[in-house]
Amino acid sequence: MESTARERPEQARSASLWFSHTALLRVIEVALGGALLLAGSISSRNGAILFGAAAAMAGFVGAVQTEFLSKSLALESSMAWFGCAIGALVVVAALLAPRTITRSSNVRTA
């Protein structure tokens, strides 16, 4: 019996920006992007390094294990290397960004 996308929703694939995706892969990408946006909005260098490193490691694992992940996530090797490069770029940018500290004090005179 042939399985359909309705019976196995994790196998439903669609293409966007030259890469094929499954719904689960899109959820992972959106969650990681949201975490990076959150880290950036609160100026968390450690958060950017953490999530950038997670993206780089996930991309590397995805590139090495493309045959296994292509079945469950429709992950392509070029997409995995792209994710690895983007993650590494985020880490480097977070490490090289200047750190600024603002201090203020109020002095009252009588």
Side-chain angles (χ1 to χ4, degrees):
M1 181 194 302
E2 184 176 324
S3 65
T4 63
R6 186 175 298 261
E7 293 172 6
R8 299 186 62 171
E10 72 274 4
Q11 297 296 326
R13 298 176 184 210
S14 63
S16 65
L17 294 179
W18 311 288
F19 302 113
S20 62
H21 289 74
T22 61
L24 179 59
L25 182 59
R26 287 182 193 224
V27 167
I28 293 169
E29 291 171 352
V30 168
L32 187 60
L36 280 170
L37 283 174
L38 181 64
S41 68
I42 60 173
S43 300
S44 174
R45 178 183 297 221
N46 294 335
I49 292 170
L50 173 71
F51 293 118
M57 288 186 282
F60 181 75
V61 169
V64 172
Q65 296 291 330
T66 305
E67 293 174 7
F68 174 72
L69 294 174
S70 68
K71 296 175 185 173
S72 59
L73 295 176
L75 185 64
E76 301 170 6
S77 178
S78 57
M79 166 94 177
W81 285 117
F82 182 70
C84 185
I86 293 297
L89 181 67
V90 167
V91 170
V92 169
L95 290 173
L96 294 179
R99 180 173 284 184
T100 58
I101 299 173
T102 305
R103 296 182 185 176
S104 63
S105 61
N106 295 329
V107 178
R108 293 185 182 189
T109 58

